[in-house]
């Protein structure tokens, strides 16, 4: 699986957009980009995933560059409850060994 | 409600004792996983199972054992051979062949 690189921490003002970058320069053509977040002392929560097109759901938007070597998770109007560690994962979706590999993630602090 | 349940939330054990962590899901998922998380770190895969009566070691299986006798249940035993068992343990499940995993709320194990 391709490795990902994320900044260890970021701050964001409440109500502003939070843009969380992820570098996955060795991603292969059949690997998806997944984002999860983990609020303190809870299990990770799925946010969004994509292959090459930009995706949006009720939680966030995912922007993937044309060369697929990086992506950005956008929380359009961050709230204090969005304070969490955000994990970017790239993974082949298939039948064998579809377990997730989590790195250190980005610790997002939303401030009033 | 459908979901994945871990119990107990907090667990204390004396050094040298084996302890079993429970994980139950009613999502009809084939695949189940166990992860360990240490403070300030990402998740590390202990064991995973893609089908009943079958499981594979993850990255840090030493000192742990699992069973998968029923689709709904994937208990993890932390044995006395695990040298540093104090950690936050997370169980997850997914439909086989997908990477969208659902996590339990975790069990915080403290060995004294």
């Amino acid at each position: 699986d391709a490795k990902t690189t994320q900044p260890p921490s970021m701050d964001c003002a409440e109500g502003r957009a939070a843009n969380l970058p992820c570098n996955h320069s060795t991603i292969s053509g059949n690997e998806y980009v997944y984002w999860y977040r983990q609020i303190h002392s809870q299990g990770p929560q799925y946010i969004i995933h994509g292959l090459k097109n930009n995706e949006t759901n009720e939680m966030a938007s995912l922007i993937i560059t044309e060369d697929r070597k990086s992506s950005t998770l956008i929380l359009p109007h961050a709230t204090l409850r969005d304070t969490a560690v955000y994990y970017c994962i790239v993974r082949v979706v298939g039948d064998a060994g579809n377990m997730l590999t989590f790195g250190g993630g980005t610790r997002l602090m939303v401030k009033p | 409600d459908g979901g994945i349940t871990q119990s107990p939330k907090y667990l204390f054990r004396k050094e040298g004792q084996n302890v079993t962590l429970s994980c139950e899901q009613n999502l009809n998922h084939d695949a189940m996983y166990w992860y360990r998380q240490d403070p300030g770190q990402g998740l590390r895969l202990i064991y995973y199972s893609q089908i009943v009566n079958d499981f594979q070691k993850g990255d840090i299986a030493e000192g742990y054992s699992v069973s998968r006798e029923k689709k709904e249940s994937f208990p993890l035993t932390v044995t006395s051979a695990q040298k540093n068992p104090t950690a936050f343990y997370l169980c997850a499940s997914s439909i086989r062949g997908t990477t969208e995993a659902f996590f339990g709320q975790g069990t915080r194990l403290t060995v004294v």
Side-chain angles (χ1 to χ4, degrees):
Chain A
D1 295 332
K3 291 186 177 179
T4 63
T5 304
Q6 298 177 254
S9 64
M10 291 181 65
D11 290 344
C12 177
E14 188 179 17
R16 304 296 294 269
N19 298 300
L20 291 93
C22 181
N23 184 292
H24 31 80
S25 58
T26 59
I27 193 169
S28 59
N30 59 348
E31 287 183 308
Y32 285 70
V33 180
Y34 277 75
W35 283 84
Y36 281 76
R37 74 178 182 184
Q38 186 178 24
I39 295 169
H40 182 62
S41 294
Q42 296 183 23
Q45 175 191 24
Y46 165 82
I47 302 174
I48 199 167
H49 75 280
L51 182 62
K52 55 183 178 181
N53 296 324
N54 297 339
E55 303 287 345
T56 296
N57 63 20
E58 65 278 4
M59 289 182 69
S61 295
L62 174 61
I63 309 298
I64 303 173
T65 58
E66 194 168 336
D67 63 7
R68 302 208 326 120
K69 293 185 177 182
S70 65
S71 61
T72 301
L73 179 76
I74 301 172
L75 308 178
H77 305 286
T79 70
L80 298 179
R81 283 182 288 186
D82 290 323
T83 292
V85 178
Y86 287 78
Y87 296 100
C88 170
I89 300 159
V90 292
R91 188 74 179 111
V92 174
V93 177
D95 204 41
N98 59 329
M99 62 283 188
L100 297 163
T101 302
F102 288 79
T106 295
R107 187 172 299 275
L108 176 68
M109 180 74 70
V110 180
K111 299 184 175 180
Chain B
D1 284 6
I4 181 163
T5 303
Q6 291 185 243
S7 61
K9 190 171 176 63
Y10 298 96
L11 190 56
F12 296 87
R13 279 293 182 271
K14 290 185 178 179
E15 193 172 344
Q17 291 182 333
N18 291 355
V19 59
T20 297
L21 281 59
S22 168
C23 179
E24 304 277 333
Q25 54 96 3
N26 60 3
L27 300 166
N28 200 34
H29 287 169
D30 287 308
M32 296 187 74
Y33 315 84
W34 273 105
Y35 290 88
R36 169 184 171 134
Q37 188 174 36
D38 293 290
Q41 304 296 312
L43 282 68
R44 291 185 291 169
L45 183 67
I46 304 172
Y47 268 99
Y48 66 101
S49 167
Q50 297 197 62
I51 198 166
V52 174
N53 293 322
D54 186 50
F55 48 83
Q56 285 79 42
K57 293 181 179 180
D59 299 322
I60 55 165
E62 185 176 350
Y64 299 98
S65 66
V66 293
S67 63
R68 189 83 188 279
E69 297 176 2
K70 297 187 299 181
K71 188 175 186 178
E72 307 80 35
S73 178
F74 191 40
L76 173 75
T77 297
V78 184
T79 75
S80 57
Q82 169 50 234
K83 296 194 185 326
N84 187 17
T86 295
F88 187 48
Y89 290 89
L90 286 156
C91 179
S93 71
S94 72
I95 297 171
R96 192 177 178 189
T98 72
T99 314
E100 183 180 347
F102 294 83
F103 283 82
Q105 289 304 297
T107 293
R108 191 167 298 279
L109 173 65
T110 302
V111 175
V112 296

